[in-house]
Amino acid sequence: MDFAITNNNSFFEIGAFDAKTYFSELLRKVQEGAVFNISKNGKRVAVLQGVQSAKNEAALNAHKRILDRSKKMKDLRKKNGLEAITYSELKELKNAGRKY
């Protein structure tokens, strides 16, 4: 590649003009797992990444949200003087919310 790319924590920064000019080459790199942040006038405007990378990122974000909610629930129960919920209690609550 003979265009300007800067690497920042496994993400590559590239200008919009270079991204347009070398698009097919960028797609080959994306297939190999690279992720490109595309900027215009110094501001990030787009991300070019493979489908699998996007799925992995979405899964990691969902996992983080679940862990955060779990911690909030645990803190709330502790604050109100309640014991930790057991698996069987959780299963009962889940089944109670089902229609069938």
Side-chain angles (χ1 to χ4, degrees):
M1 288 188 200
D2 59 346
F3 48 90
I5 290 183
T6 57
N7 187 348
N8 183 13
N9 296 336
S10 77
F11 287 92
F12 297 95
E13 299 286 337
I14 186 168
F17 181 81
D18 285 337
K20 175 187 68 109
T21 304
Y22 299 100
F23 188 69
S24 60
E25 193 170 342
L26 293 179
L27 287 179
R28 280 193 291 280
K29 293 291 185 185
V30 165
Q31 285 179 318
E32 296 170 4
V35 177
F36 292 92
N37 290 324
I38 302 172
S39 60
K40 188 169 186 172
N41 298 325
K43 294 182 181 177
R44 189 170 112 177
V45 294
V47 176
L48 181 62
Q49 65 182 14
V51 175
Q52 191 60 40
S53 296
K55 288 180 183 177
N56 290 345
E57 188 173 325
L60 288 172
N61 288 337
H63 184 259
K64 184 181 181 312
R65 286 193 311 272
I66 290 169
L67 290 177
D68 290 344
R69 288 181 185 151
S70 174
K71 184 179 181 325
K72 286 179 184 177
M73 287 175 58
K74 185 177 179 181
D75 292 344
L76 184 62
R77 289 184 67 83
K78 187 182 279 189
K79 178 182 172 185
N80 292 327
L82 301 172
E83 296 177 16
I85 193 166
T86 64
Y87 176 75
S88 59
E89 290 172 329
L90 182 62
K91 193 171 182 178
E92 283 180 36
L93 290 170
K94 180 178 79 171
N95 289 334
R98 293 184 173 171
K99 290 183 178 181
Y100 304 101

